[in-house]
Amino acid sequence: MAQQATPKAVPTYTREDFQSDQLVRWCPGCGDYAILAQVQRTLPEMGVRRENVVFVSGIGCSSRFPYYMNTYGFHGIHGRAPAIATGLKLARPELDVWVITGDGDGLSIGTNHTLQICRRNVNVTLLLFNNQIYGLTKGQYSPTSPHGQRTYSSPYGNLDWPFNPIRVALGANAAFIARTIDRDQKHLAEVLLRAHEHRGTSFVEIYQNCIVFNDGAFEDLVDKATRDDHVLYLEHGKPMVFGKNRDKGIRLDGLQPQVVSLSDGRWSVSDLLVHDEKEPSGALAEILASFQERPGFPRPVGVFRDIERPIYEEEIHRLVEQASASTTDQDLMELLEGGETWIVKEEEEPAPVQA
Amino acid sequence: MTPVMLLSDGYIGNGAEPWRIPDLDELPPIEVKFADDPETFAPYARDPETLARPWAVPGTPGLEHRVGGLEKEDVTGNISYDPVNHEKMVEYRRRKVEGIAREIPPTQVFGEPEGELLVIGWGSTYGAIRTAVEDCQADGLSVSWVHLRWLNPFPSDLGEIIRRFRKVLIPELNSGQLATFIRAKYLVDAIPFSKVQGLPFWTHEIEGKIRELIG
């Protein structure tokens, strides 16, 4: 999300400039700390004036985020941060607006708003912290909790089938879709910079560990011993290779992806699927999103999709300008009196002046 | 920064009647003074009269702050878990809304300022109540009528008006919510008169009730 031209030069900021003086109240060891730290570290690199930055959130653990940023902030209405952010961008397109939400806020009560902002393509950066559990309300299953998971509200196993957030965003034709992980700080920083740079709604799913109610949900993806075999780092234009020894890859057999070995002589790197963030239909991103439902497949992280679409607030302002330019009669009073109106004089019966 | 709820109903939505278009030049301008001084700005400071907080909009350097649903400390706007502070803030918000009564013009009483019966109405029952009261007044009955345009806060002179009548009748198209509030607020034995049939009141229904009470 590129900042629009500002007349004044942007001061040189440090991480501390974006830290508020409020005591951070997440559980010790929560993944949210890592995300907060990385947002505060990367904002100075984004070329925006601090007073133009606004963080809008809904309700939940993640939604306390704005209090800890030394920027403008609005801890808003449950699930409605995208609606507030859309209004803000329409009124003040020059602002740098971030939406902070979670799997509960953004994918249950606020699912509709998440979809609407993505399909409209409002120029905001949306971070969805996904810990696959309701943390603030103490451990009930969320819309992204795996099927069968035992939680305090599903003691015999979760009957619901989880949302796949990447697929949800794709379904709404989000122009920028990415996934990253709280503990992978370098990757997180890269994805934040990419998401902010993109113009339009940038949807970022961040796997975030809830140490109290869902600890270890993403352990395979962050543990040094296992992560290389479980994570596929997406790189634009590069063949999809993964594995500790870089000896596995993804190839496509018709519409079906396959995990293939690069060490048994049957397949080589040139047979592999090559990542293309710009693939316009979303079909490639859809295949990648499906990996989490396919046993034995690595979990893709990085940018799934980065395409250009018209920016909603720019279109609105263009429309208003066009309509204003083509209208000569702009007297509001004349407009109000233009329909079926009468003039009522004292002590007289109403007489129609226009019908 | 006080939320306003405008109550409408199906009768207003479906009805049609002449409506006076205001002269735009006569409407007072809505002027907002945004905060812009980092030296004096405190996000949860309050105007001593209205108890409204200052308003600093994004883009104003040095005034970065956060608003939201967690309780804030008075003046600073820091998140606060202090029970006494919470009570103070709840009281501020209550008094802020109550203070709006200062802006409400004196209540107009349709009919004599005192008497046997006061009818209190609100919303789209206006026409039916007015005709019923006019008919009864023409027959010499001691009935007057107030049509409320503000329900929260109530006009500050309402209690005094109510006390000048021996009986109070409250016709409304619900289960008697306004009557409940009037009874609670003014300790008056107001008589509810409800209709919940998806239809407006007929004049004769209200007139019948008035005559039953003081006829």
Side-chain angles (χ1 to χ4, degrees), chain A residues 38 42 45-46 176 180 184-197 233-235 302-303:
Chain A
Q38 212 45 253
T42 50
E45 296 177 43
M46 292 179 183
F176 182 98
T180 183
D184 195 340
Q185 290 277 292
K186 186 166 164 287
H187 191 264
L188 176 57
E190 287 167 9
V191 168
L192 288 173
L193 287 165
R194 284 286 310 274
H196 185 265
E197 191 185 3
Y233 293 94
L234 297 172
E235 289 179 85
V303 177

mmCIF file with all atom_site columns, all heavy atoms in Angstrom, chain A residues 38 42 45-46 176 180 184-197 233-235 302-303:
data_model
loop_
_atom_site.group_PDB
_atom_site.id
_atom_site.type_symbol
_atom_site.label_atom_id
_atom_site.label_alt_id
_atom_site.label_comp_id
_atom_site.label_asym_id
_atom_site.label_entity_id
_atom_site.label_seq_id
_atom_site.pdbx_PDB_ins_code
_atom_site.Cartn_x
_atom_site.Cartn_y
_atom_site.Cartn_z
_atom_site.occupancy
_atom_site.B_iso_or_equiv
_atom_site.pdbx_formal_charge
_atom_site.auth_seq_id
_atom_site.auth_comp_id
_atom_site.auth_asym_id
_atom_site.auth_atom_id
_atom_site.pdbx_PDB_model_num
ATOM 1   N N   . GLN A 1 38  ? 7.507  -6.548  15.261 1.00 0.00 ? 38  GLN A N   1
ATOM 2   C CA  . GLN A 1 38  ? 7.904  -6.494  13.851 1.00 0.00 ? 38  GLN A CA  1
ATOM 3   C C   . GLN A 1 38  ? 7.200  -5.354  13.113 1.00 0.00 ? 38  GLN A C   1
ATOM 4   O O   . GLN A 1 38  ? 7.789  -4.713  12.246 1.00 0.00 ? 38  GLN A O   1
ATOM 5   C CB  . GLN A 1 38  ? 7.605  -7.845  13.187 1.00 0.00 ? 38  GLN A CB  1
ATOM 6   C CG  . GLN A 1 38  ? 8.550  -8.224  12.093 1.00 0.00 ? 38  GLN A CG  1
ATOM 7   C CD  . GLN A 1 38  ? 10.009 -7.996  12.453 1.00 0.00 ? 38  GLN A CD  1
ATOM 8   O OE1 . GLN A 1 38  ? 10.632 -7.069  11.948 1.00 0.00 ? 38  GLN A OE1 1
ATOM 9   N NE2 . GLN A 1 38  ? 10.552 -8.835  13.336 1.00 0.00 ? 38  GLN A NE2 1
ATOM 10  N N   . THR A 1 42  ? 9.252  -2.394  11.317 1.00 0.00 ? 42  THR A N   1
ATOM 11  C CA  . THR A 1 42  ? 9.221  -2.188  9.860  1.00 0.00 ? 42  THR A CA  1
ATOM 12  C C   . THR A 1 42  ? 8.569  -0.863  9.466  1.00 0.00 ? 42  THR A C   1
ATOM 13  O O   . THR A 1 42  ? 8.859  -0.351  8.388  1.00 0.00 ? 42  THR A O   1
ATOM 14  C CB  . THR A 1 42  ? 8.474  -3.341  9.153  1.00 0.00 ? 42  THR A CB  1
ATOM 15  O OG1 . THR A 1 42  ? 7.234  -3.554  9.799  1.00 0.00 ? 42  THR A OG1 1
ATOM 16  C CG2 . THR A 1 42  ? 9.289  -4.605  9.153  1.00 0.00 ? 42  THR A CG2 1
ATOM 17  N N   . GLU A 1 45  ? 10.575 1.874   7.985  1.00 0.00 ? 45  GLU A N   1
ATOM 18  C CA  . GLU A 1 45  ? 11.070 1.648   6.613  1.00 0.00 ? 45  GLU A CA  1
ATOM 19  C C   . GLU A 1 45  ? 10.000 1.939   5.567  1.00 0.00 ? 45  GLU A C   1
ATOM 20  O O   . GLU A 1 45  ? 10.254 1.818   4.372  1.00 0.00 ? 45  GLU A O   1
ATOM 21  C CB  . GLU A 1 45  ? 11.504 0.181   6.446  1.00 0.00 ? 45  GLU A CB  1
ATOM 22  C CG  . GLU A 1 45  ? 12.673 -0.230  7.325  1.00 0.00 ? 45  GLU A CG  1
ATOM 23  C CD  . GLU A 1 45  ? 12.978 -1.714  7.156  1.00 0.00 ? 45  GLU A CD  1
ATOM 24  O OE1 . GLU A 1 45  ? 12.970 -2.207  6.011  1.00 0.00 ? 45  GLU A OE1 1
ATOM 25  O OE2 . GLU A 1 45  ? 13.201 -2.379  8.194  1.00 0.00 ? 45  GLU A OE2 1
ATOM 26  N N   . MET A 1 46  ? 8.789  2.265   5.997  1.00 0.00 ? 46  MET A N   1
ATOM 27  C CA  . MET A 1 46  ? 7.684  2.324   5.046  1.00 0.00 ? 46  MET A CA  1
ATOM 28  C C   . MET A 1 46  ? 7.442  3.719   4.481  1.00 0.00 ? 46  MET A C   1
ATOM 29  O O   . MET A 1 46  ? 6.565  3.917   3.638  1.00 0.00 ? 46  MET A O   1
ATOM 30  C CB  . MET A 1 46  ? 6.406  1.774   5.690  1.00 0.00 ? 46  MET A CB  1
ATOM 31  C CG  . MET A 1 46  ? 6.505  0.269   5.949  1.00 0.00 ? 46  MET A CG  1
ATOM 32  S SD  . MET A 1 46  ? 5.040  -0.403  6.735  1.00 0.00 ? 46  MET A SD  1
ATOM 33  C CE  . MET A 1 46  ? 5.537  -2.118  6.962  1.00 0.00 ? 46  MET A CE  1
ATOM 34  N N   . PHE A 1 176 ? -4.176 -8.847  -3.080 1.00 0.00 ? 176 PHE A N   1
ATOM 35  C CA  . PHE A 1 176 ? -2.913 -9.227  -2.453 1.00 0.00 ? 176 PHE A CA  1
ATOM 36  C C   . PHE A 1 176 ? -3.217 -10.170 -1.299 1.00 0.00 ? 176 PHE A C   1
ATOM 37  O O   . PHE A 1 176 ? -3.989 -9.838  -0.399 1.00 0.00 ? 176 PHE A O   1
ATOM 38  C CB  . PHE A 1 176 ? -2.164 -7.997  -1.923 1.00 0.00 ? 176 PHE A CB  1
ATOM 39  C CG  . PHE A 1 176 ? -0.833 -8.335  -1.297 1.00 0.00 ? 176 PHE A CG  1
ATOM 40  C CD1 . PHE A 1 176 ? 0.340  -8.208  -2.022 1.00 0.00 ? 176 PHE A CD1 1
ATOM 41  C CD2 . PHE A 1 176 ? -0.751 -8.798  0.019  1.00 0.00 ? 176 PHE A CD2 1
ATOM 42  C CE1 . PHE A 1 176 ? 1.578  -8.531  -1.448 1.00 0.00 ? 176 PHE A CE1 1
ATOM 43  C CE2 . PHE A 1 176 ? 0.470  -9.138  0.588  1.00 0.00 ? 176 PHE A CE2 1
ATOM 44  C CZ  . PHE A 1 176 ? 1.634  -8.998  -0.143 1.00 0.00 ? 176 PHE A CZ  1
ATOM 45  N N   . THR A 1 180 ? 2.174  -15.539 6.694  1.00 0.00 ? 180 THR A N   1
ATOM 46  C CA  . THR A 1 180 ? 3.475  -15.604 7.356  1.00 0.00 ? 180 THR A CA  1
ATOM 47  C C   . THR A 1 180 ? 3.255  -16.120 8.780  1.00 0.00 ? 180 THR A C   1
ATOM 48  O O   . THR A 1 180 ? 2.127  -16.484 9.136  1.00 0.00 ? 180 THR A O   1
ATOM 49  C CB  . THR A 1 180 ? 4.195  -14.237 7.311  1.00 0.00 ? 180 THR A CB  1
ATOM 50  O OG1 . THR A 1 180 ? 5.485  -14.356 7.903  1.00 0.00 ? 180 THR A OG1 1
ATOM 51  C CG2 . THR A 1 180 ? 3.403  -13.163 8.042  1.00 0.00 ? 180 THR A CG2 1
ATOM 52  N N   . ASP A 1 184 ? 8.688  -16.439 12.737 1.00 0.00 ? 184 ASP A N   1
ATOM 53  C CA  . ASP A 1 184 ? 9.662  -16.294 11.658 1.00 0.00 ? 184 ASP A CA  1
ATOM 54  C C   . ASP A 1 184 ? 9.815  -14.798 11.368 1.00 0.00 ? 184 ASP A C   1
ATOM 55  O O   . ASP A 1 184 ? 9.238  -14.253 10.427 1.00 0.00 ? 184 ASP A O   1
ATOM 56  C CB  . ASP A 1 184 ? 9.166  -17.048 10.415 1.00 0.00 ? 184 ASP A CB  1
ATOM 57  C CG  . ASP A 1 184 ? 10.260 -17.242 9.387  1.00 0.00 ? 184 ASP A CG  1
ATOM 58  O OD1 . ASP A 1 184 ? 11.266 -16.502 9.443  1.00 0.00 ? 184 ASP A OD1 1
ATOM 59  O OD2 . ASP A 1 184 ? 10.105 -18.124 8.519  1.00 0.00 ? 184 ASP A OD2 1
ATOM 60  N N   . GLN A 1 185 ? 10.611 -14.127 12.220 1.00 0.00 ? 185 GLN A N   1
ATOM 61  C CA  . GLN A 1 185 ? 10.652 -12.663 12.210 1.00 0.00 ? 185 GLN A CA  1
ATOM 62  C C   . GLN A 1 185 ? 11.114 -12.068 10.884 1.00 0.00 ? 185 GLN A C   1
ATOM 63  O O   . GLN A 1 185 ? 10.585 -11.065 10.433 1.00 0.00 ? 185 GLN A O   1
ATOM 64  C CB  . GLN A 1 185 ? 11.545 -12.168 13.349 1.00 0.00 ? 185 GLN A CB  1
ATOM 65  C CG  . GLN A 1 185 ? 10.923 -12.399 14.723 1.00 0.00 ? 185 GLN A CG  1
ATOM 66  C CD  . GLN A 1 185 ? 9.926  -11.306 15.106 1.00 0.00 ? 185 GLN A CD  1
ATOM 67  O OE1 . GLN A 1 185 ? 10.294 -10.171 15.330 1.00 0.00 ? 185 GLN A OE1 1
ATOM 68  N NE2 . GLN A 1 185 ? 8.655  -11.649 15.136 1.00 0.00 ? 185 GLN A NE2 1
ATOM 69  N N   . LYS A 1 186 ? 12.076 -12.713 10.252 1.00 0.00 ? 186 LYS A N   1
ATOM 70  C CA  . LYS A 1 186 ? 12.597 -12.170 9.005  1.00 0.00 ? 186 LYS A CA  1
ATOM 71  C C   . LYS A 1 186 ? 11.524 -12.244 7.917  1.00 0.00 ? 186 LYS A C   1
ATOM 72  O O   . LYS A 1 186 ? 11.273 -11.272 7.207  1.00 0.00 ? 186 LYS A O   1
ATOM 73  C CB  . LYS A 1 186 ? 13.847 -12.971 8.596  1.00 0.00 ? 186 LYS A CB  1
ATOM 74  C CG  . LYS A 1 186 ? 14.567 -12.430 7.396  1.00 0.00 ? 186 LYS A CG  1
ATOM 75  C CD  . LYS A 1 186 ? 15.946 -13.058 7.275  1.00 0.00 ? 186 LYS A CD  1
ATOM 76  C CE  . LYS A 1 186 ? 16.538 -12.851 5.892  1.00 0.00 ? 186 LYS A CE  1
ATOM 77  N NZ  . LYS A 1 186 ? 15.895 -13.678 4.850  1.00 0.00 ? 186 LYS A NZ  1
ATOM 78  N N   . HIS A 1 187 ? 10.878 -13.392 7.854  1.00 0.00 ? 187 HIS A N   1
ATOM 79  C CA  . HIS A 1 187 ? 9.833  -13.584 6.858  1.00 0.00 ? 187 HIS A CA  1
ATOM 80  C C   . HIS A 1 187 ? 8.661  -12.648 7.125  1.00 0.00 ? 187 HIS A C   1
ATOM 81  O O   . HIS A 1 187 ? 8.101  -12.044 6.208  1.00 0.00 ? 187 HIS A O   1
ATOM 82  C CB  . HIS A 1 187 ? 9.360  -15.045 6.885  1.00 0.00 ? 187 HIS A CB  1
ATOM 83  C CG  . HIS A 1 187 ? 8.468  -15.417 5.736  1.00 0.00 ? 187 HIS A CG  1
ATOM 84  N ND1 . HIS A 1 187 ? 7.091  -15.409 5.840  1.00 0.00 ? 187 HIS A ND1 1
ATOM 85  C CD2 . HIS A 1 187 ? 8.756  -15.750 4.452  1.00 0.00 ? 187 HIS A CD2 1
ATOM 86  C CE1 . HIS A 1 187 ? 6.573  -15.757 4.672  1.00 0.00 ? 187 HIS A CE1 1
ATOM 87  N NE2 . HIS A 1 187 ? 7.557  -15.973 3.813  1.00 0.00 ? 187 HIS A NE2 1
ATOM 88  N N   . LEU A 1 188 ? 8.301  -12.522 8.394  1.00 0.00 ? 188 LEU A N   1
ATOM 89  C CA  . LEU A 1 188 ? 7.209  -11.637 8.782  1.00 0.00 ? 188 LEU A CA  1
ATOM 90  C C   . LEU A 1 188 ? 7.487  -10.209 8.315  1.00 0.00 ? 188 LEU A C   1
ATOM 91  O O   . LEU A 1 188 ? 6.619  -9.546  7.730  1.00 0.00 ? 188 LEU A O   1
ATOM 92  C CB  . LEU A 1 188 ? 7.031  -11.700 10.307 1.00 0.00 ? 188 LEU A CB  1
ATOM 93  C CG  . LEU A 1 188 ? 6.006  -10.785 10.976 1.00 0.00 ? 188 LEU A CG  1
ATOM 94  C CD1 . LEU A 1 188 ? 4.619  -10.982 10.408 1.00 0.00 ? 188 LEU A CD1 1
ATOM 95  C CD2 . LEU A 1 188 ? 5.980  -11.047 12.493 1.00 0.00 ? 188 LEU A CD2 1
ATOM 96  N N   . ALA A 1 189 ? 8.719  -9.740  8.548  1.00 0.00 ? 189 ALA A N   1
ATOM 97  C CA  . ALA A 1 189 ? 9.079  -8.376  8.139  1.00 0.00 ? 189 ALA A CA  1
ATOM 98  C C   . ALA A 1 189 ? 8.966  -8.219  6.628  1.00 0.00 ? 189 ALA A C   1
ATOM 99  O O   . ALA A 1 189 ? 8.431  -7.213  6.133  1.00 0.00 ? 189 ALA A O   1
ATOM 100 C CB  . ALA A 1 189 ? 10.500 -8.056  8.605  1.00 0.00 ? 189 ALA A CB  1
ATOM 101 N N   . GLU A 1 190 ? 9.453  -9.209  5.897  1.00 0.00 ? 190 GLU A N   1
ATOM 102 C CA  . GLU A 1 190 ? 9.390  -9.128  4.422  1.00 0.00 ? 190 GLU A CA  1
ATOM 103 C C   . GLU A 1 190 ? 7.951  -9.053  3.939  1.00 0.00 ? 190 GLU A C   1
ATOM 104 O O   . GLU A 1 190 ? 7.614  -8.261  3.049  1.00 0.00 ? 190 GLU A O   1
ATOM 105 C CB  . GLU A 1 190 ? 10.068 -10.369 3.801  1.00 0.00 ? 190 GLU A CB  1
ATOM 106 C CG  . GLU A 1 190 ? 11.575 -10.366 3.899  1.00 0.00 ? 190 GLU A CG  1
ATOM 107 C CD  . GLU A 1 190 ? 12.184 -11.741 3.562  1.00 0.00 ? 190 GLU A CD  1
ATOM 108 O OE1 . GLU A 1 190 ? 11.435 -12.643 3.086  1.00 0.00 ? 190 GLU A OE1 1
ATOM 109 O OE2 . GLU A 1 190 ? 13.376 -11.891 3.790  1.00 0.00 ? 190 GLU A OE2 1
ATOM 110 N N   . VAL A 1 191 ? 7.101  -9.892  4.533  1.00 0.00 ? 191 VAL A N   1
ATOM 111 C CA  . VAL A 1 191 ? 5.697  -9.912  4.101  1.00 0.00 ? 191 VAL A CA  1
ATOM 112 C C   . VAL A 1 191 ? 4.997  -8.601  4.471  1.00 0.00 ? 191 VAL A C   1
ATOM 113 O O   . VAL A 1 191 ? 4.218  -8.062  3.682  1.00 0.00 ? 191 VAL A O   1
ATOM 114 C CB  . VAL A 1 191 ? 4.964  -11.134 4.705  1.00 0.00 ? 191 VAL A CB  1
ATOM 115 C CG1 . VAL A 1 191 ? 3.454  -11.015 4.518  1.00 0.00 ? 191 VAL A CG1 1
ATOM 116 C CG2 . VAL A 1 191 ? 5.469  -12.425 4.058  1.00 0.00 ? 191 VAL A CG2 1
ATOM 117 N N   . LEU A 1 192 ? 5.296  -8.062  5.658  1.00 0.00 ? 192 LEU A N   1
ATOM 118 C CA  . LEU A 1 192 ? 4.677  -6.783  6.052  1.00 0.00 ? 192 LEU A CA  1
ATOM 119 C C   . LEU A 1 192 ? 5.050  -5.679  5.056  1.00 0.00 ? 192 LEU A C   1
ATOM 120 O O   . LEU A 1 192 ? 4.199  -4.890  4.643  1.00 0.00 ? 192 LEU A O   1
ATOM 121 C CB  . LEU A 1 192 ? 5.135  -6.375  7.459  1.00 0.00 ? 192 LEU A CB  1
ATOM 122 C CG  . LEU A 1 192 ? 4.571  -7.198  8.623  1.00 0.00 ? 192 LEU A CG  1
ATOM 123 C CD1 . LEU A 1 192 ? 5.240  -6.796  9.933  1.00 0.00 ? 192 LEU A CD1 1
ATOM 124 C CD2 . LEU A 1 192 ? 3.057  -7.033  8.729  1.00 0.00 ? 192 LEU A CD2 1
ATOM 125 N N   . LEU A 1 193 ? 6.329  -5.650  4.679  1.00 0.00 ? 193 LEU A N   1
ATOM 126 C CA  . LEU A 1 193 ? 6.769  -4.622  3.727  1.00 0.00 ? 193 LEU A CA  1
ATOM 127 C C   . LEU A 1 193 ? 6.079  -4.789  2.383  1.00 0.00 ? 193 LEU A C   1
ATOM 128 O O   . LEU A 1 193 ? 5.622  -3.818  1.773  1.00 0.00 ? 193 LEU A O   1
ATOM 129 C CB  . LEU A 1 193 ? 8.299  -4.656  3.566  1.00 0.00 ? 193 LEU A CB  1
ATOM 130 C CG  . LEU A 1 193 ? 9.073  -4.106  4.779  1.00 0.00 ? 193 LEU A CG  1
ATOM 131 C CD1 . LEU A 1 193 ? 10.544 -4.502  4.715  1.00 0.00 ? 193 LEU A CD1 1
ATOM 132 C CD2 . LEU A 1 193 ? 8.941  -2.583  4.865  1.00 0.00 ? 193 LEU A CD2 1
ATOM 133 N N   . ARG A 1 194 ? 5.989  -6.032  1.931  1.00 0.00 ? 194 ARG A N   1
ATOM 134 C CA  . ARG A 1 194 ? 5.317  -6.297  0.639  1.00 0.00 ? 194 ARG A CA  1
ATOM 135 C C   . ARG A 1 194 ? 3.845  -5.897  0.710  1.00 0.00 ? 194 ARG A C   1
ATOM 136 O O   . ARG A 1 194 ? 3.295  -5.299  -0.208 1.00 0.00 ? 194 ARG A O   1
ATOM 137 C CB  . ARG A 1 194 ? 5.417  -7.785  0.289  1.00 0.00 ? 194 ARG A CB  1
ATOM 138 C CG  . ARG A 1 194 ? 6.771  -8.257  -0.232 1.00 0.00 ? 194 ARG A CG  1
ATOM 139 C CD  . ARG A 1 194 ? 7.047  -7.820  -1.664 1.00 0.00 ? 194 ARG A CD  1
ATOM 140 N NE  . ARG A 1 194 ? 5.962  -8.110  -2.597 1.00 0.00 ? 194 ARG A NE  1
ATOM 141 C CZ  . ARG A 1 194 ? 5.795  -9.266  -3.238 1.00 0.00 ? 194 ARG A CZ  1
ATOM 142 N NH1 . ARG A 1 194 ? 6.638  -10.250 -3.044 1.00 0.00 ? 194 ARG A NH1 1
ATOM 143 N NH2 . ARG A 1 194 ? 4.791  -9.415  -4.091 1.00 0.00 ? 194 ARG A NH2 1
ATOM 144 N N   . ALA A 1 195 ? 3.192  -6.268  1.818  1.00 0.00 ? 195 ALA A N   1
ATOM 145 C CA  . ALA A 1 195 ? 1.759  -5.992  1.953  1.00 0.00 ? 195 ALA A CA  1
ATOM 146 C C   . ALA A 1 195 ? 1.505  -4.494  1.971  1.00 0.00 ? 195 ALA A C   1
ATOM 147 O O   . ALA A 1 195 ? 0.576  -3.985  1.338  1.00 0.00 ? 195 ALA A O   1
ATOM 148 C CB  . ALA A 1 195 ? 1.223  -6.629  3.238  1.00 0.00 ? 195 ALA A CB  1
ATOM 149 N N   . HIS A 1 196 ? 2.354  -3.767  2.684  1.00 0.00 ? 196 HIS A N   1
ATOM 150 C CA  . HIS A 1 196 ? 2.183  -2.322  2.777  1.00 0.00 ? 196 HIS A CA  1
ATOM 151 C C   . HIS A 1 196 ? 2.444  -1.648  1.440  1.00 0.00 ? 196 HIS A C   1
ATOM 152 O O   . HIS A 1 196 ? 1.786  -0.678  1.075  1.00 0.00 ? 196 HIS A O   1
ATOM 153 C CB  . HIS A 1 196 ? 3.131  -1.772  3.851  1.00 0.00 ? 196 HIS A CB  1
ATOM 154 C CG  . HIS A 1 196 ? 2.950  -0.313  4.101  1.00 0.00 ? 196 HIS A CG  1
ATOM 155 N ND1 . HIS A 1 196 ? 3.709  0.648   3.485  1.00 0.00 ? 196 HIS A ND1 1
ATOM 156 C CD2 . HIS A 1 196 ? 2.048  0.353   4.873  1.00 0.00 ? 196 HIS A CD2 1
ATOM 157 C CE1 . HIS A 1 196 ? 3.312  1.840   3.893  1.00 0.00 ? 196 HIS A CE1 1
ATOM 158 N NE2 . HIS A 1 196 ? 2.300  1.695   4.735  1.00 0.00 ? 196 HIS A NE2 1
ATOM 159 N N   . GLU A 1 197 ? 3.389  -2.192  0.715  1.00 0.00 ? 197 GLU A N   1
ATOM 160 C CA  . GLU A 1 197 ? 3.762  -1.621  -0.578 1.00 0.00 ? 197 GLU A CA  1
ATOM 161 C C   . GLU A 1 197 ? 2.641  -1.783  -1.601 1.00 0.00 ? 197 GLU A C   1
ATOM 162 O O   . GLU A 1 197 ? 2.444  -0.938  -2.468 1.00 0.00 ? 197 GLU A O   1
ATOM 163 C CB  . GLU A 1 197 ? 5.022  -2.348  -1.056 1.00 0.00 ? 197 GLU A CB  1
ATOM 164 C CG  . GLU A 1 197 ? 5.713  -1.740  -2.235 1.00 0.00 ? 197 GLU A CG  1
ATOM 165 C CD  . GLU A 1 197 ? 6.876  -2.631  -2.686 1.00 0.00 ? 197 GLU A CD  1
ATOM 166 O OE1 . GLU A 1 197 ? 7.072  -3.722  -2.111 1.00 0.00 ? 197 GLU A OE1 1
ATOM 167 O OE2 . GLU A 1 197 ? 7.560  -2.228  -3.627 1.00 0.00 ? 197 GLU A OE2 1
ATOM 168 N N   . TYR A 1 233 ? 8.403  -22.032 1.117  1.00 0.00 ? 233 TYR A N   1
ATOM 169 C CA  . TYR A 1 233 ? 8.554  -20.582 0.997  1.00 0.00 ? 233 TYR A CA  1
ATOM 170 C C   . TYR A 1 233 ? 8.295  -20.173 -0.444 1.00 0.00 ? 233 TYR A C   1
ATOM 171 O O   . TYR A 1 233 ? 9.042  -20.543 -1.345 1.00 0.00 ? 233 TYR A O   1
ATOM 172 C CB  . TYR A 1 233 ? 9.957  -20.147 1.441  1.00 0.00 ? 233 TYR A CB  1
ATOM 173 C CG  . TYR A 1 233 ? 10.174 -20.359 2.928  1.00 0.00 ? 233 TYR A CG  1
ATOM 174 C CD1 . TYR A 1 233 ? 10.758 -21.522 3.409  1.00 0.00 ? 233 TYR A CD1 1
ATOM 175 C CD2 . TYR A 1 233 ? 9.767  -19.390 3.849  1.00 0.00 ? 233 TYR A CD2 1
ATOM 176 C CE1 . TYR A 1 233 ? 10.931 -21.731 4.775  1.00 0.00 ? 233 TYR A CE1 1
ATOM 177 C CE2 . TYR A 1 233 ? 9.933  -19.587 5.214  1.00 0.00 ? 233 TYR A CE2 1
ATOM 178 C CZ  . TYR A 1 233 ? 10.514 -20.753 5.669  1.00 0.00 ? 233 TYR A CZ  1
ATOM 179 O OH  . TYR A 1 233 ? 10.685 -20.961 7.013  1.00 0.00 ? 233 TYR A OH  1
ATOM 180 N N   . LEU A 1 234 ? 7.209  -19.433 -0.640 1.00 0.00 ? 234 LEU A N   1
ATOM 181 C CA  . LEU A 1 234 ? 6.835  -19.032 -1.996 1.00 0.00 ? 234 LEU A CA  1
ATOM 182 C C   . LEU A 1 234 ? 7.733  -17.894 -2.472 1.00 0.00 ? 234 LEU A C   1
ATOM 183 O O   . LEU A 1 234 ? 7.918  -16.908 -1.765 1.00 0.00 ? 234 LEU A O   1
ATOM 184 C CB  . LEU A 1 234 ? 5.374  -18.571 -2.023 1.00 0.00 ? 234 LEU A CB  1
ATOM 185 C CG  . LEU A 1 234 ? 4.323  -19.620 -1.662 1.00 0.00 ? 234 LEU A CG  1
ATOM 186 C CD1 . LEU A 1 234 ? 2.947  -18.963 -1.538 1.00 0.00 ? 234 LEU A CD1 1
ATOM 187 C CD2 . LEU A 1 234 ? 4.295  -20.742 -2.699 1.00 0.00 ? 234 LEU A CD2 1
ATOM 188 N N   . GLU A 1 235 ? 8.283  -18.048 -3.652 1.00 0.00 ? 235 GLU A N   1
ATOM 189 C CA  . GLU A 1 235 ? 9.091  -16.985 -4.251 1.00 0.00 ? 235 GLU A CA  1
ATOM 190 C C   . GLU A 1 235 ? 8.678  -16.831 -5.700 1.00 0.00 ? 235 GLU A C   1
ATOM 191 O O   . GLU A 1 235 ? 8.686  -17.810 -6.465 1.00 0.00 ? 235 GLU A O   1
ATOM 192 C CB  . GLU A 1 235 ? 10.583 -17.334 -4.175 1.00 0.00 ? 235 GLU A CB  1
ATOM 193 C CG  . GLU A 1 235 ? 11.154 -17.264 -2.774 1.00 0.00 ? 235 GLU A CG  1
ATOM 194 C CD  . GLU A 1 235 ? 12.639 -17.655 -2.787 1.00 0.00 ? 235 GLU A CD  1
ATOM 195 O OE1 . GLU A 1 235 ? 13.476 -16.773 -3.051 1.00 0.00 ? 235 GLU A OE1 1
ATOM 196 O OE2 . GLU A 1 235 ? 12.927 -18.842 -2.579 1.00 0.00 ? 235 GLU A OE2 1
ATOM 197 N N   . GLY A 1 302 ? 4.331  -16.855 2.435  1.00 0.00 ? 302 GLY A N   1
ATOM 198 C CA  . GLY A 1 302 ? 4.816  -15.869 1.485  1.00 0.00 ? 302 GLY A CA  1
ATOM 199 C C   . GLY A 1 302 ? 3.640  -15.262 0.739  1.00 0.00 ? 302 GLY A C   1
ATOM 200 O O   . GLY A 1 302 ? 2.492  -15.351 1.196  1.00 0.00 ? 302 GLY A O   1
ATOM 201 N N   . VAL A 1 303 ? 3.932  -14.685 -0.408 1.00 0.00 ? 303 VAL A N   1
ATOM 202 C CA  . VAL A 1 303 ? 2.888  -13.983 -1.162 1.00 0.00 ? 303 VAL A CA  1
ATOM 203 C C   . VAL A 1 303 ? 2.220  -14.955 -2.136 1.00 0.00 ? 303 VAL A C   1
ATOM 204 O O   . VAL A 1 303 ? 2.865  -15.455 -3.058 1.00 0.00 ? 303 VAL A O   1
ATOM 205 C CB  . VAL A 1 303 ? 3.474  -12.769 -1.907 1.00 0.00 ? 303 VAL A CB  1
ATOM 206 C CG1 . VAL A 1 303 ? 2.396  -12.084 -2.741 1.00 0.00 ? 303 VAL A CG1 1
ATOM 207 C CG2 . VAL A 1 303 ? 4.091  -11.789 -0.911 1.00 0.00 ? 303 VAL A CG2 1
#
